[in-house]
Amino acid sequence: MTPPRRRLVPDYVATAGLEVPPRIGVERTTLLHAAPGASAEGLDAAARRLLALVEDEGTLSVYECAAQLGLPYAVVRMMAAALAASGAVVTREPPAPAQLPDPALLDVVLHGLRAL
């Protein structure tokens, strides 16, 4: 059985001429979630799918969205930036490593949970 073939569509065609707004930095690890009351009116099909994904799944990174939608990262990055500029999607950077819990503490908690 042969694997399904992906369409070979240039990114500039798939994005329908969208440009990343200069003031919005959207990268692979940028987290996306739908803004309260976000409307899909006036969006193309791919942007509607992205908005529906983050509405249904909650907060996802741009890379996770690209994987789930089966679209190139560059395309999803541009759509996410355009949706953020329109206010339909809210972006935020993931927590810095210094803000994450200490791995040793997580190991102690995990060991305690396993002991239950």
Side-chain angles (χ1 to χ4, degrees):
M1 179 175 187
T2 60
R5 293 179 56 168
R6 289 185 70 184
R7 290 185 327 195
L8 297 177
V9 176
D11 290 349
Y12 65 87
V13 172
T15 58
L18 289 175
E19 292 183 21
V20 178
R23 69 181 194 286
I24 297 176
V26 177
E27 298 300 328
R28 288 180 179 98
T29 57
T30 301
L31 300 174
L32 307 174
H33 64 273
S39 173
E41 251 182 75
L43 300 176
D44 66 354
R48 276 195 305 261
R49 286 179 48 215
L50 176 58
L51 182 58
L53 177 66
V54 294
E55 284 177 336
D56 295 342
E57 299 290 327
T59 302
L60 295 171
S61 72
V62 173
Y63 222 56
E64 290 172 316
C65 292
Q68 289 195 27
L69 294 174
L71 294 171
Y73 153 73
V75 172
V76 175
R77 178 178 179 251
M78 294 177 87
M79 286 191 310
L83 287 173
S86 72
V89 168
V90 178
T91 63
R92 67 180 169 92
E93 292 304 312
Q99 296 174 332
L100 297 175
D102 181 28
L105 175 63
L106 294 176
D107 285 337
V108 170
V109 171
L110 183 60
H111 180 69
L113 289 172
R114 287 181 179 156
L116 292 176

